């Protein structure tokens, strides 16, 4: 005789386990405002423990035609703005609404725990999510459809991911510099705990290995992905006794900071030092000289994320769990041959 499925708990059961009122539990489950963070966590912890036996808010069937929750807890400029705009346009073209959660202050909140029990969201797209594996894994266990764009950390097994080819893009950038004769190359990498930063550092190392070199730890810094951090780190690296002849930057913003540092030190770019970025954002064409960089298919990443999520919502097969889109080297005026001494 087959074992019966576990009985679904009621809102009353959750209220009894938490010692809260039925009305308070209902407000948490429906994502209502005005609930204290500690109270919300109490309810979500019990719902997580119940797993598939947890009650579902406002009906037991998730509406496949509902809006998509898009989480991008960063300022929506250049890189992030292009991805979110492409997602919004693609969702609109498919007749689906978007619930946007954006801005750096959003990193202090933990909205993912509510998604499986909020009936209105059909699925989610998470852009460089700061959440750890346990929070993302909880979404997987609840069967909630979601797609990750450019994961910040390792994604739970079985997650659907869309990203750019960061390793290959960084490899082509450093290979461009070694072809110009550069051997003493500094790296301003992104934060250590960002997967994308580690992939780009790996690509840089691969290009050095092709010319028989190993990365020099003394010439590498892990910094925040900002112009100010790029300026500070470049000032430090460009004033060492044996100055690097080229600087590879995590993104174009960092590279703009490095350009400013070189200018303050009286160094010509690319005559004295080549400086390269990543992203091919607007600032790469607004700088002087214009930046050599790596173009990323940001709009295509956003559109593909919507397409993949739509398949998940409709329970259609996914061709590949991890779609990695090609990047392209863009050579401009900030890189040049090593100056002969």
């Amino acid at each position: 005789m087959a074992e019966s499925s576990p009985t679904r708990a009621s809102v009353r059961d959750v209220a009894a386990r938490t010692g809260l009122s039925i009305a308070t539990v209902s407000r948490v489950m429906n994502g209502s405002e005005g609930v204290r963070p500690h109270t919300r966590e109490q309810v979500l912890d019990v719902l997580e423990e119940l797993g598939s036996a947890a009650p579902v808010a406002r009906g037991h069937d998730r509406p496949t035609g509902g809006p998509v929750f898009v989480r991008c807890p960063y300022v929506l400029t250049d890189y992030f703005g292009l991805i979110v705009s492409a997602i919004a346009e693609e969702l609109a073209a498919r007749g689906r609404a978007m619930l946007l959660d954006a801005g750096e202050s959003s990193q202090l909140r933990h909205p993912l725990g509510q998604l499986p029990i909020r009936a209105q969201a059909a699925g989610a797209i998470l852009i460089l999510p700061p959440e750890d594996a346990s929070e993302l894994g909880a979404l997987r266990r609840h069967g909630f459809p979601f797609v990750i764009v450019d994961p910040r950390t390792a994604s739970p097994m079985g997650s659907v991911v869309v990203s750019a080819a960061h390793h290959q893009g960084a490899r082509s950038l450093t290979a461009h510099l070694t072809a110009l004769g550069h051997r003493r190359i500094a790296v301003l990498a992104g934060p250590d705990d960002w997967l994308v930063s580690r992939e780009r550092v790996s690509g840089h190392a691969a290009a050095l290995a092709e010319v028989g070199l190993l990365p020099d730890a003394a010439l590498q810094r892990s910094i925040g992905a900002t112009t100010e951090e790029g300026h500070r780190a470049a000032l430090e690296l460009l004033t060492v006794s044996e100055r690097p002849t080229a600087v590879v930057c995590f993104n174009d913003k960092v590279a703009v900071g490095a350009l400013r540092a070189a200018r303050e030190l009286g160094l010509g770019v690319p005559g004295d030092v080549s400086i390269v970025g990543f992203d091919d954002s607007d600032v790469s064409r607004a700088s002087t000289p214009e930046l050599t960089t790596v173009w990323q298919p940001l709009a295509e990443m956003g559109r593909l994320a919507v397409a993949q999520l739509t398949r998940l919502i409709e329970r259609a097969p996914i061709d590949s769990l991890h779609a990695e889109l090609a990047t392209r080297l863009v050579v401009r005026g900030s890189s040049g041959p090593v100056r002969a001494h």
Side-chain angles (χ1 to χ4, degrees), residues 83 86-87 90 125 149 162 297-307:
I83 296 175
I87 289 171
E90 185 66 18
I125 296 176
V149 178
V162 174
L298 301 179
E300 186 178 349
M301 287 162 59
R303 290 192 292 268
L304 181 57
V306 173

Side-chain angles (χ1 to χ4, degrees), residues 106-185:
S106 177
Q107 294 187 27
L108 303 176
R109 299 193 295 272
H110 294 271
L112 301 192
Q114 301 173 41
L115 289 180
I117 56 174
R118 291 178 66 176
Q120 69 266 40
I125 296 176
L126 311 174
I127 304 169
L128 199 67
E131 287 79 12
D132 60 27
S134 64
E135 287 189 77
L136 296 172
L139 285 185
R140 287 272 304 146
R141 290 193 297 275
H142 278 287
F144 185 85
F146 69 95
V147 172
I148 299 173
V149 178
D150 259 357
R152 183 159 153 173
T153 57
S155 303
M157 186 174 295
S159 299
V160 177
V161 174
V162 174
S163 70
H166 297 288
H167 175 95
Q168 187 55 42
R171 184 173 183 171
S172 68
L173 195 60
T174 299
H176 164 69
L177 293 173
T178 59
L180 292 171
H182 294 277
R183 294 297 183 267
R184 188 165 173 78
I185 303 174

Side-chain angles (χ1 to χ4, degrees), residues 35-89:
V35 180
R36 288 182 299 177
H38 175 70
T39 299
R40 190 180 303 277
E41 288 302 317
Q42 274 185 280
V43 175
L44 294 177
D45 286 346
V46 170
L47 293 170
E48 172 66 16
E49 291 171 11
L50 289 170
S52 60
V56 178
R58 294 180 184 156
H60 298 280
D61 295 321
R62 184 167 300 283
T64 59
V68 168
F69 180 81
V70 178
R71 177 156 165 78
C72 183
Y74 307 93
V75 177
L76 298 184
T77 57
D78 41 67
Y79 174 87
F80 295 110
L82 288 171
I83 296 175
V84 170
S85 295
I87 289 171
E89 290 170 359

Side-chain angles (χ1 to χ4, degrees), residues 65-309:
V68 168
F69 180 81
V70 178
R71 177 156 165 78
C72 183
Y74 307 93
V75 177
L76 298 184
T77 57
D78 41 67
Y79 174 87
F80 295 110
L82 288 171
I83 296 175
V84 170
S85 295
I87 289 171
E89 290 170 359
E90 185 66 18
L91 286 172
R94 294 170 180 259
R96 193 182 291 273
M98 178 173 76
L99 300 173
L100 179 61
D101 179 48
E104 291 183 337
S105 64
S106 177
Q107 294 187 27
L108 303 176
R109 299 193 295 272
H110 294 271
L112 301 192
Q114 301 173 41
L115 289 180
I117 56 174
R118 291 178 66 176
Q120 69 266 40
I125 296 176
L126 311 174
I127 304 169
L128 199 67
E131 287 79 12
D132 60 27
S134 64
E135 287 189 77
L136 296 172
L139 285 185
R140 287 272 304 146
R141 290 193 297 275
H142 278 287
F144 185 85
F146 69 95
V147 172
I148 299 173
V149 178
D150 259 357
R152 183 159 153 173
T153 57
S155 303
M157 186 174 295
S159 299
V160 177
V161 174
V162 174
S163 70
H166 297 288
H167 175 95
Q168 187 55 42
R171 184 173 183 171
S172 68
L173 195 60
T174 299
H176 164 69
L177 293 173
T178 59
L180 292 171
H182 294 277
R183 294 297 183 267
R184 188 165 173 78
I185 303 174
V187 178
L188 301 184
D192 280 332
D193 59 344
W194 286 20
L195 182 62
V196 60
S197 180
R198 296 198 297 271
E199 289 180 352
R200 292 181 190 177
V201 169
S202 172
H204 168 72
L208 291 180
E210 291 173 358
V211 293
L213 296 176
L214 292 173
D216 185 346
L219 294 179
Q220 182 171 315
R221 301 288 186 275
S222 293
I223 63 173
T226 65
T227 298
E228 293 72 22
E229 287 282 289
H231 174 255
R232 179 191 58 76
L235 278 177
E236 181 183 325
L237 286 170
L238 293 176
T239 52
V240 298
S241 57
E242 192 176 351
R243 191 179 65 232
T245 64
V247 182
V248 173
C249 300
F250 176 72
N251 63 11
D252 295 336
K253 288 181 180 179
V254 170
V256 167
L259 284 175
R260 178 154 60 92
R263 185 166 57 249
E264 291 172 0
L265 294 171
L267 299 175
V269 178
D272 296 311
V273 59
S274 290
I275 295 175
V276 298
F278 206 107
D279 288 345
D280 193 28
S281 60
D282 288 345
V283 298
S284 69
R285 294 177 292 281
S287 63
T288 303
E290 295 186 358
L291 282 171
T292 291
T293 186
V294 171
W295 172 83
Q296 292 194 76
L298 301 179
E300 186 178 349
M301 287 162 59
R303 290 192 292 268
L304 181 57
V306 173
Q308 295 284 70
L309 181 64

